[in-house]
């Protein structure tokens, strides 16, 4: 009996070793992407990538996907539209990746959409806006909370109208993201019977905004809707601080990228006060879901070591959520069949650390989950203040609302 037990144990150990050896020999599942690590979008790109890396480490600690480790293959696209087509061709043809994640932002993502559709591949989107509106690829899934395309500017203008605003001014960067956004915002303003008294697009390399802000102020709008990229957002707020915007302006902000990044927020400090701007995640009690706190505990520690955005609210948890979407779908279908993964994502509500996600036929979120929040009581050179609730008061959506609008804008600034 003892000899049989010993023999059985020996066979079991040998079998386990054999299985472990076979498992260890399986190649990793490679997920390819580009991500801006230099250039104007680098702040967001680095935070987004760190969020994805944390997911990779978590899923690998659980044994990987389909018994295989997950490996990331990443290239720096510098935030440039001219870089991404060649990078994604290389990922597919040379690196032979299994799945694709999109780069952060609209400009570098738009050029790869035709390639991905042509090859019939799944693409996990990453905070781009309306890049699938013309291509109409049915295997595109955007992790961003935009919802229907008009819901983002509509929520902002609704807040302004409730504050008594009638006329609107538009200031936008002459780049794809900003123009996509402002085109829809004009339609919303028309639908809401809000006359447009100022509408100007500026070149992407603009650094001096004083003359533009003077002209905008002279138009005397009731609400100013700005769609800008990070360097522009800072320049516009500095010009507003220097010149003022007029007592008639009830609400200012809307679509300013950059005011969600820790370094920009710390640098701008009190100049942020009063601005109502979109966001994706804020440290308010209602915004914590299963795993959210644990994610930020890991992110905060690693962000310091990696010298990236110490807050990471805007993009990092959504990078992690992209991994969660893939993880759940792959496990459910039991393979890397991209058509099957896409079908699963279309048909199920997906649970993530930033809340539940459901996708429409266009791969965008079915419901608007964009926050509109007003900066309050911000002091200079203090990044820790932004970890507290109440520094960005949520005005929309109603179920997450944490306070009321302070208006007009000049009063809110003070």
């Amino acid at each position: 009996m003892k000899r049989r037990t010993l023999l059985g144990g020996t066979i079991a150990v040998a079998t386990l070793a054999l299985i472990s050896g076979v498992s260890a020999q399986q190649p990793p599942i490679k997920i390819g992407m580009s991500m801006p690590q230099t250039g104007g979008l680098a702040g967001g790109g680095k935070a987004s990538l760190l969020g994805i890396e944390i997911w990779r480490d978590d899923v690998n600690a659980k044994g990987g996907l389909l018994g295989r480790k997950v490996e990331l293959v990443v290239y720096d696209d510098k935030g440039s539209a001219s870089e991404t087509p060649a990078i994604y061709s290389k990922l597919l043809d040379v690196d032979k990746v299994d799945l694709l994640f999109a780069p952060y932002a609209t400009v570098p993502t738009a050029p790869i959409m035709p390639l991905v559709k042509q090859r019939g591949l799944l693409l996990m989107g990453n905070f781009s806006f309306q890049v699938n509106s013309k291509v109409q690829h049915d295997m595109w899934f955007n992790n961003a909370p935009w919802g229907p395309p008009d819901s983002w500017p509509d929520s902002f203008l609704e807040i302004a109208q409730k504050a008594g605003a009638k006329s609107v001014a538009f200031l936008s960067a002459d780049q794809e993201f900003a123009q996509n956004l402002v085109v829809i915002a004009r339609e919303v303003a028309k639908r809401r019977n809000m006359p447009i008294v100022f509408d100007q697009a500026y070149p992407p390399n603009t650094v001096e905004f004083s003359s533009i802000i003077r002209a905008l102020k002279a138009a005397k709008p009731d609400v100013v809707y700005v769609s800008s990229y990070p360097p522009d957002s800072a320049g516009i707020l500095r010009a507003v601080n220097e010149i003022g915007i007029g007592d008639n302006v009830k609400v200012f902000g809307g679509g300013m990228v950059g005011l969600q990044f820790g370094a920009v927020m710390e640098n701008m400090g009190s100049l942020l006060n009063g601005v109502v701007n979109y966001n994706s995640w804020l440290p308010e009690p209602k915004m914590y879901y299963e795993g959210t706190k644990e994610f930020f505990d890991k992110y905060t520690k690693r962000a310091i070591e990696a010298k990236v955005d110490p807050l990471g609210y805007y993009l990092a948890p959504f990078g992690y959520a992209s991994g969660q979407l893939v993880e759940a779908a792959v496990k459910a279908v039991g393979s890397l069949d991209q058509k099957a993964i896409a079908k699963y994502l279309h048909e199920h509500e997906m649970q993530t650390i930033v809340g539940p996600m459901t996708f429409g036929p266009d791969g965008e979120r079915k419901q608007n989950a964009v926050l509109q929040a007003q900066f309050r009581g911000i002091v200079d050179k203090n990044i820790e203040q932004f970890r507290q609730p109440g520094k960005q008061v949520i005005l929309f959506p109603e179920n997450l609302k944490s306070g009321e609008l302070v208006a007009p804008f000049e009063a809110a600034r003070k």
Side-chain angles (χ1 to χ4, degrees):
M1 180 71 71
K2 288 182 180 178
R3 284 181 61 196
R4 264 189 249 155
T5 304
L6 180 61
L7 181 61
T10 304
I11 292 171
V13 170
T15 303
L16 181 60
L18 180 61
I19 292 171
S20 300
V22 170
S23 176
Q25 290 169 12
Q26 291 188 38
I29 292 175
K30 294 195 287 187
I31 299 177
M33 72 195 78
S34 74
M35 198 67 71
Q37 302 296 288
T38 57
L41 296 176
K46 290 178 180 179
S48 180
L49 180 58
L50 181 53
I52 298 169
E53 289 172 342
I54 293 171
W55 166 77
R56 174 204 60 197
D57 294 345
D58 283 353
V59 77
N60 283 340
K62 294 183 289 185
L65 292 178
L66 306 176
R68 296 161 61 185
K69 294 294 186 182
V70 173
E71 177 183 304
L72 303 180
V73 182
V74 187
Y75 296 101
D76 180 13
D77 59 38
K78 307 176 182 67
S80 169
S82 64
E83 299 273 347
T84 47
I87 289 174
Y88 277 78
S89 293
K90 183 177 186 295
L91 286 167
L92 293 170
D93 299 331
V94 179
D95 298 311
K96 305 291 185 182
V97 299
D98 299 290
L99 295 168
L100 291 175
F101 280 12
Y104 160 55
T106 304
V107 170
T109 301
I112 67 172
M113 293 300 293
L115 168 69
V116 175
K117 181 178 182 180
Q118 181 184 28
R119 300 206 186 189
L121 298 172
L122 181 84
L123 182 62
M124 301 304 300
N126 191 7
F127 272 62
S128 54
F129 187 72
Q130 288 294 286
V131 296
N132 198 32
S133 58
K134 295 178 182 177
V135 179
Q136 296 185 341
H137 182 32
D138 63 357
M139 297 170 70
W140 155 266
F141 298 91
N142 194 357
N143 66 2
W146 314 148
D150 63 346
S151 58
W152 177 354
D154 189 62
S155 60
F156 179 81
L157 293 180
E158 179 181 348
I159 290 168
Q161 278 193 316
K162 286 181 178 178
K166 294 180 172 59
S167 63
V168 60
F170 292 115
L171 179 59
S172 57
D174 192 9
Q175 282 186 309
E176 188 160 3
F177 157 77
Q179 290 306 303
N180 285 346
L181 190 55
V182 79
V183 163
I184 295 170
R186 290 189 193 106
E187 295 171 358
V188 173
K190 183 178 180 181
R191 189 171 71 228
R192 287 182 168 274
N193 297 313
M194 300 180 76
I196 300 171
V197 296
F198 182 91
D199 192 348
Q200 183 168 339
Y202 57 84
N205 59 352
T206 302
V207 294
E208 175 52 57
F209 290 90
S210 297
S211 60
I212 295 175
I213 296 301
R214 287 192 178 93
L216 192 157
K217 183 178 180 180
K220 297 184 177 180
D222 296 326
V223 55
V224 179
Y225 188 84
V226 183
S227 46
S228 53
Y229 264 13
D232 327 341
S233 300
I236 289 167
L237 281 184
R238 289 192 181 97
V240 166
N241 183 66
E242 177 187 342
I243 297 162
I245 203 70
D247 293 336
N248 48 293
V249 173
K250 306 291 191 298
V251 185
F252 181 97
M256 305 179 75
V257 182
L259 306 191
Q260 305 82 5
F261 301 153
V264 175
M265 292 160 67
E266 182 181 26
N267 186 47
M268 299 306 295
S270 59
L271 298 188
L272 295 168
N273 282 320
V275 173
V276 175
N277 203 42
Y278 85 98
N279 216 315
S280 56
W281 192 90
L282 290 170
E284 296 290 335
K286 292 181 180 179
M287 299 216 67
Y288 287 87
Y289 299 88
E290 183 179 350
T292 311
K293 183 181 183 302
E294 291 78 5
F295 167 77
F296 278 110
D297 287 344
K298 293 176 184 176
Y299 177 88
T300 300
K301 180 180 178 181
R302 289 178 60 164
I304 294 170
E305 296 169 355
K307 298 181 180 178
V308 303
D309 186 338
L311 301 178
Y313 300 156
Y314 182 52
L315 288 162
F318 291 84
Y320 190 96
S322 290
Q324 288 184 298
L325 294 173
V326 167
E327 179 183 356
V330 167
K331 286 181 177 178
V333 303
S335 74
L336 293 177
D337 182 331
Q338 299 196 29
K339 290 188 181 298
I341 294 170
K343 185 175 185 293
Y344 186 87
L345 290 172
H346 275 301
E347 294 178 350
H348 293 81
E349 181 180 83
M350 310 300 294
Q351 304 303 318
T352 76
I353 62 167
V354 291
M357 295 187 187
T358 54
F359 296 98
D362 61 354
E364 301 294 333
R365 303 270 286 274
K366 282 186 178 179
Q367 295 181 327
N368 176 17
V370 177
L371 309 177
Q372 298 288 351
Q374 186 173 41
F375 286 95
R376 301 271 186 84
I378 307 301
V379 298
D380 293 329
K381 303 298 180 184
N382 180 358
I383 198 166
E384 291 303 312
Q385 67 188 314
F386 296 109
R387 300 188 191 277
Q388 307 168 20
K391 291 301 182 178
Q392 294 182 71
V393 176
I394 299 175
L395 308 174
F396 179 90
E398 193 68 31
N399 65 312
L400 297 173
K401 192 172 179 179
S402 60
E404 301 296 331
L405 173 74
V406 174
F409 174 62
E410 289 290 354
R413 287 178 63 200
K414 300 170 185 176

